[in-house]
Amino acid sequence: MLPKLFCEIDKTADIQIRKFAEDTDVSALGAFEYGTVVDFELAVSRCMGMTTPVLRICRDGQPSKDIPMNFKGSDNVSDMYCLCIDTKELCGEAECGLFYYEFVLVRGANTVYTDAYNNVDFRLSEKEGVKFRLLVYEKGFKTPDSFKGVMYQIFPDRFFRGESEEAKSVPVREDAILNKDWENGIPQFALKVGDPLKNNMFFGGTLWGIAEKLDYLCELGVSIIYLCPIFEAYSNHKYDTGNYLKVDDMFGGDDALKNLIDKAKEKGISIVLDGVFNHTGDDSIYFNKYRRYGDGGAYNDPDSPYVKWYNFKNHPDEYESWWGIEILPRLDHSNDNCRKFFTGEGGVIQKYIDMGIGGWRLDVADELCDEFLDELRDRAKSASNGEAVIIGEVWENAAEKSAYGKRRRYFQGRQLDSVMNYPLRSAIIDFCVFGDAEILYNTLTEIYSSYPVHVSNKLMNIIGTHDTERILTVLGRDMGDEDRSMAELSVAKLSPKQRKKGVELLKIAAGLQYTVYGVPSLYYGDEIGLEGYRDPFCRMPFPWHELDDAQRAEILDFYKALGRIRRTEPALDDGLFCIIGRSEDFICFFREKQDSKLLIAANRGGEKSIDIPDGCYYIDLISNKEYTGNVTVPGDTIAIFKEVQQ
């Protein structure tokens, strides 16, 4: 039984819409497997004087058609209408697709439309407004069961050097600068954003070192490690790949990766690699602008087999690159040889799946063509018995994402399992910084109602990454702090007052990240309150020497508690998600799977009251306090209540 909240979610008074499939109420969902029959029901207030409503629906980019709804009956308040939509008939031979629909009602001489604003809730309008989305995905599309728990993102050069003989014997490239000041060193930075930067300063982190810290990660409840790029490349960040078939020697080479995969597997942890397949570095075996790899390569040899991997406007100096950045020449995946190098039998995808990795995170997935993504998924899934996870870097709602004038079909069955949940990150920050529960409610509702539910449960939930300011800095700083010069930001720290505020809000942000649908992705160092403004200051070395600091220990203990909750509560892996209450600065939602029943309340305002139903007994998994009857949620806190049988 759900507790009674101090408020109820607002509902449209004049019209209620419900949709369900196979006798299950799925009104909050908007994605269905091909072959599902979706039933729509409308309850229209009789005082509105409406005539028969119509469902107006269209396939994305095609003309719409009107389907009258069937009268079902009346009561003293409402007229009831219904309509069944067979997704087989809707899709035809395509067997998948994105559709848009609205309800149209006539009242006298006026026409009234539904105007959706989060794909579930709506207003009534006299003009056509935002339409609902309905995604139909291919029959049999599923996401890997093994992708669950807690993900941990590591920037390899900055995590841990390692103390083993193998780690200490890792070579330093001749043209690389090794910064030996792990505790206080500052990464290279350009004086202005966008200025050229060599990025050849390293701090010496290795894959051997990561393997030595697996016990630490286990204490955090980590079940997946996501590594930023590890392939041979000139830069410290490795997004300028030099050789896809070789792990960088400065990280320990292929032997270090295999050791990490095997040691992690023993502890129930899988490894996800960063696939930067849209572009290479200009200093690569394929492009080879600086002849590091001999005399061949696309830049030096017009007869090189790699020339057709790139788009040259005028060989060799005019070529297509990623966002015009010359050091990142863009690959042309319309070329079969280029594409098959990655997706073919024995190619890049299969090599590392065969080594034992658990999947791929695809850098700038929007830039990868459909054919490439289709083939990549087929190869990864066939090589892993379907268990390799494919995660795309997509910053917007991926169900209707368009790139370069073309609608993408990421979740229609042949491409991605998940995306980085940037919309959630923004909404959590808005809630924590501004107390805006409405944005958080709308974001959670829209995403959950846009994606297949098994995709929602596998979303990569982030609040910090290598591309963003450190989350503690975001939550603690004052507005405008980030506008300082790069030199100022390189040494900037939160004041004690700012840091205290940031820690308080970080607990709310992390609590939400760990308890909504999806898989929380923890960026290395966030669990001990590492600070840092924009790149490269969000990529500082992990301060292992400061773990005993009282404030760092406080944050770490909180994250360990969240990890234990994720590990022991099945409801947080793929349980029912339902928002059951909100106000201006408060949100409350329910997670349930079998005997695991959780009520999560996040509060950015004054004290809020929740009435526990008679006969119910709850324990707060964070504070371990027990409750029956009325529960008070203090301001600026998050509570995770578990229903316990008495």
Side-chain angles (χ1 to χ4, degrees):
M1 182 184 296
L2 298 181
K4 181 179 179 182
L5 296 171
F6 72 99
C7 66
E8 294 184 354
I9 296 175
D10 297 333
K11 295 182 181 293
T12 302
D14 295 325
I15 297 179
Q16 296 291 320
I17 298 176
R18 177 175 176 251
K19 61 181 181 290
F20 55 96
E22 300 175 356
D23 299 323
T24 301
D25 189 347
V26 289
S27 296
L29 304 181
F32 304 94
E33 186 177 51
Y34 175 79
T36 302
V37 176
V38 183
D39 295 319
F40 293 89
E41 286 187 353
L42 261 66
V44 182
S45 175
R46 302 188 72 183
C47 67
M48 294 186 69
M50 295 286 187
T51 57
T52 302
V54 167
L55 175 70
R56 179 170 292 170
I57 191 168
C58 68
R59 182 185 286 272
D60 180 37
Q62 296 185 9
S64 61
K65 61 179 180 180
D66 289 353
I67 308 175
M69 300 195 70
N70 303 307
F71 180 71
K72 187 177 180 180
S74 300
D75 57 25
N76 293 330
V77 178
S78 302
D79 292 329
M80 308 297 295
Y81 298 88
C82 64
L83 179 66
C84 295
I85 297 291
D86 188 336
T87 54
K88 286 185 178 180
E89 297 178 3
L90 193 64
C91 295
E93 295 181 358
E95 298 189 1
C96 61
L98 176 64
F99 299 84
Y100 290 91
Y101 68 92
E102 63 185 335
F103 294 94
V104 183
L105 303 97
V106 176
R107 179 169 57 188
N110 298 320
T111 302
V112 178
Y113 304 87
T114 52
D115 179 15
Y117 57 89
N118 58 23
N119 209 40
V120 172
D121 300 313
F122 63 95
R123 309 174 185 89
L124 296 178
S125 173
E126 293 184 356
K127 298 180 180 180
E128 288 193 73
V130 178
K131 296 174 176 57
F132 297 100
R133 283 184 299 277
L134 191 153
L135 181 71
V136 181
Y137 55 89
E138 292 186 4
K139 194 171 184 63
F141 169 45
K142 61 179 182 178
T143 52
D145 293 334
S146 57
F147 184 69
K148 59 184 178 181
V150 176
M151 175 182 267
Y152 191 86
Q153 180 186 354
I154 295 177
F155 195 84
D157 181 56
R158 311 289 161 80
F159 187 64
F160 188 56
R161 287 175 177 164
E163 298 174 347
S164 66
E165 288 302 316
E166 293 91 345
K168 291 178 179 179
S169 63
V170 165
V172 178
R173 205 176 63 225
E174 288 185 2
D175 59 348
I177 300 170
L178 181 62
N179 189 327
K180 296 182 179 180
D181 188 0
W182 185 276
E183 288 78 14
N184 301 295
I186 297 173
Q188 282 175 318
F189 62 91
L191 291 179
K192 297 193 302 294
V193 176
D195 281 355
L197 184 67
K198 288 187 175 181
N199 275 315
N200 65 338
M201 177 187 285
F202 293 78
F203 283 83
T206 69
L207 301 183
W208 297 111
I210 295 172
E212 292 178 37
K213 293 297 185 181
L214 289 174
D215 286 341
Y216 167 82
L217 298 179
C218 286
E219 291 178 359
L220 286 167
V222 170
S223 52
I224 309 118
I225 295 173
Y226 155 46
L227 298 174
C228 288
I230 60 172
F231 303 137
E232 181 175 88
Y234 174 81
S235 73
N236 53 46
H237 56 69
K238 308 298 178 192
Y239 283 93
D240 54 337
T241 310
N243 187 346
Y244 290 101
L245 298 177
K246 181 181 180 183
V247 176
D248 200 285
D249 287 338
M250 289 187 65
F251 289 163
D254 285 16
D255 288 343
L257 174 60
K258 183 58 177 172
N259 173 72
L260 176 58
I261 291 170
D262 292 344
K263 292 291 178 58
K265 185 177 181 180
E266 291 174 4
K267 296 182 180 297
I269 298 174
S270 65
I271 306 296
V272 170
L273 296 185
D274 207 333
V276 187
F277 302 141
N278 172 71
H279 49 267
T280 66
D282 61 352
D283 189 4
S284 66
I285 194 172
Y286 319 102
F287 202 78
N288 198 28
K289 188 172 185 177
Y290 312 105
R291 299 183 183 271
R292 183 187 302 273
Y293 296 92
D295 295 329
Y299 184 86
N300 297 299
D301 181 3
D303 296 322
S304 168
Y306 297 127
V307 168
K308 293 183 179 180
W309 287 27
Y310 302 92
N311 285 317
F312 285 94
K313 301 174 184 177
N314 184 19
H315 190 276
D317 290 316
E318 295 183 25
Y319 50 87
E320 184 180 351
S321 59
W322 183 66
W323 284 43
I325 302 172
E326 290 187 357
I327 64 171
L328 300 176
R330 187 177 181 188
L331 290 165
D332 181 4
H333 291 305
S334 66
N335 179 275
D336 287 346
N337 288 332
C338 175
R339 199 173 61 254
K340 295 300 183 182
F341 171 74
F342 296 98
T343 66
E345 185 174 356
V348 174
I349 299 302
Q350 183 166 355
K351 172 184 174 177
Y352 294 99
I353 295 286
D354 287 349
M355 282 183 71
I357 69 165
W360 294 92
R361 176 265 188 188
L362 303 180
D363 186 58
V364 292
D366 296 344
E367 315 261 347
L368 302 173
C369 66
D370 284 335
E371 190 173 13
F372 182 87
L373 290 177
D374 291 344
E375 292 180 5
L376 185 152
R377 181 182 183 85
D378 286 345
R379 181 61 57 188
K381 296 297 183 179
S382 63
S384 66
N385 294 320
E387 282 303 300
V389 66
I390 310 298
I391 307 166
E393 181 193 10
V394 180
W395 288 58
E396 303 85 6
N397 185 316
E400 61 172 5
K401 169 69 179 180
S402 291
Y404 300 97
K406 183 177 181 181
R407 186 80 76 186
R408 306 310 303 265
R409 50 179 175 81
Y410 297 133
F411 294 146
Q412 294 182 30
R414 295 187 182 180
Q415 295 187 349
L416 304 179
D417 295 311
S418 174
V419 290
M420 301 175 74
N421 201 349
Y422 275 99
L424 176 65
R425 175 183 184 269
S426 297
I428 287 177
I429 290 173
D430 282 336
F431 176 75
C432 290
V433 174
F434 304 111
D436 195 332
E438 188 70 10
I439 288 179
L440 181 58
Y441 165 75
N442 285 331
T443 300
L444 287 168
T445 301
E446 179 175 348
I447 295 298
Y448 200 61
S449 65
S450 297
Y451 301 166
V453 68
H454 52 279
V455 170
S456 293
N457 289 330
K458 305 299 180 182
L459 289 175
M460 181 178 168
N461 287 345
I462 55 174
I463 56 174
T465 75
H466 64 290
D467 284 328
T468 65
E469 292 178 300
R470 284 283 176 178
I471 185 61
L472 184 64
T473 298
V474 172
L475 299 177
R477 64 171 167 79
D478 296 327
M479 298 296 292
D481 274 4
E482 72 280 14
D483 295 331
R484 289 174 284 181
S485 71
M486 293 291 282
E488 291 173 313
L489 293 179
S490 71
V491 294
K493 298 290 184 183
L494 298 175
S495 69
K497 181 179 179 182
Q498 289 175 321
R499 189 170 174 87
K500 181 179 179 182
K501 179 185 77 169
V503 170
E504 187 176 72
L505 297 181
L506 177 60
K507 292 180 179 180
I508 300 175
L512 288 167
Q513 178 194 20
Y514 272 64
T515 54
V516 299
Y517 54 85
V519 177
S521 179
L522 174 57
Y523 183 45
Y524 84 98
D526 281 350
E527 77 274 15
I528 56 167
L530 198 57
E531 297 179 28
Y533 287 82
R534 56 178 171 262
D535 170 19
F537 310 124
C538 56
R539 305 174 181 181
M540 302 294 282
F542 191 106
W544 294 104
H545 59 293
E546 296 181 2
L547 289 188
D548 292 335
D549 175 83
Q551 196 172 66
R552 292 201 188 281
E554 175 192 349
I555 303 171
L556 182 58
D557 286 344
F558 186 80
Y559 271 98
K560 288 180 178 179
L562 291 178
R564 286 193 297 271
I565 294 170
R566 286 289 310 198
R567 188 168 56 247
T568 57
E569 295 300 331
L572 295 178
D573 283 330
D574 56 3
L576 168 72
F577 173 83
C578 181
I579 299 175
I580 57 175
R582 77 183 192 279
S583 66
E584 179 182 356
D585 50 17
F586 176 85
I587 192 165
C588 187
F589 52 92
F590 196 72
R591 302 299 309 274
E592 179 178 4
K593 181 180 180 180
Q594 298 171 347
D595 293 334
S596 178
K597 299 179 180 180
L598 304 178
L599 177 71
I600 296 91
N603 185 14
R604 277 289 284 120
E607 289 186 349
K608 300 295 190 300
S609 178
I610 300 175
D611 290 332
I612 302 297
D614 291 341
C616 289
Y617 166 56
Y618 279 77
I619 182 170
D620 183 351
L621 297 179
I622 295 178
S623 67
N624 289 320
K625 293 182 179 179
E626 301 176 1
Y627 297 93
T628 56
N630 183 272
V631 172
T632 298
V633 182
D636 293 334
T637 62
I638 187 167
I640 304 174
F641 300 109
K642 179 177 182 178
E643 183 176 332
V644 181
Q645 298 296 324
Q646 287 184 301

